[in-house]
Amino acid sequence: MKLRLLMLGKTRRPEMRAVLDDYVRRIGRSCPIEIMELRDGAAALKRLDAHRAATIVLLDAAGKKLDSNALAKWLGELRDRGTRELIFLCGDAEGFSEDLRRRAQHRLSLSAMTFSHELARVMLAEQLYRAFAILSGSPYPK
């Protein structure tokens, strides 16, 4: 299974970028992963058109709330069912257009709290890394 993180806008703060890149490197040991920072929702729609077979997950405060173990179980089930590509859509400060919302098959909430889009990206990457660590039996998740 390949992961893609489609992010609207840029990660501008160098410290956030460093942490994000570190987690992406770690995830890359478990599965292929790619980050794409896109200008806006229209660019995201074009990118999604190029990956029509992918399963799309939109990060949304009103989305499904999973703990780390449930996220790991869900990712493992998708992987075991043969999902080839999983795309996570991370919004910017403006959120998502209705067109992008309609394209997503799943909505996932990182928390009931609101975070900056840069921090949410780091949190998503850490949780994905933690999920793969759980699936592999690594001691990291303790």
Side-chain angles (χ1 to χ4, degrees):
M1 178 169 68
K2 179 171 185 164
L3 297 181
R4 288 186 199 275
L5 307 181
L6 290 187
M7 301 177 173
L8 302 184
K10 298 233 179 249
T11 305
R12 297 190 190 283
R13 295 178 56 192
E15 64 276 11
M16 293 289 196
R17 185 81 221 185
V19 176
L20 179 61
D21 290 344
D22 178 54
Y23 280 117
V24 167
R25 274 191 299 279
R26 293 179 190 201
I27 294 166
R29 295 181 206 140
S30 299
C31 74
I33 183 168
E34 179 181 4
I35 292 181
M36 288 185 269
E37 292 184 328
L38 304 169
R39 183 180 64 256
D40 56 23
L45 283 169
K46 286 181 186 177
R47 183 62 63 174
L48 292 177
D49 285 342
H51 300 278
R52 288 215 174 262
T55 299
I56 300 166
V57 181
L58 182 111
L59 294 185
D60 186 359
K64 189 171 188 175
K65 292 168 181 48
L66 300 174
D67 65 21
S68 298
N69 288 318
L71 178 64
K73 181 180 177 192
W74 181 68
L75 287 174
E77 289 169 354
L78 287 173
R79 179 195 61 199
D80 295 347
R81 279 191 257 139
T83 300
R84 291 185 181 198
E85 185 175 8
L86 187 59
I87 296 176
F88 287 88
L89 282 174
C90 305
D92 58 9
E94 304 302 317
F96 297 103
S97 68
E98 280 307 309
D99 289 337
L100 277 175
R101 289 182 175 282
R102 280 192 294 272
R103 291 293 299 275
Q105 291 97 344
H106 304 278
R107 291 184 186 192
L108 179 66
S109 172
L110 293 175
S111 172
M113 296 182 207
T114 302
F115 298 101
S116 72
H117 64 280
E118 288 182 311
L119 183 55
R121 295 167 184 197
V122 170
M123 292 171 56
L124 172 64
E126 192 281 337
Q127 285 299 300
L128 291 172
Y129 173 67
R130 183 177 295 271
F132 284 107
I134 290 168
L135 291 171
S136 70
S138 166
Y140 173 80
K142 293 184 180 178

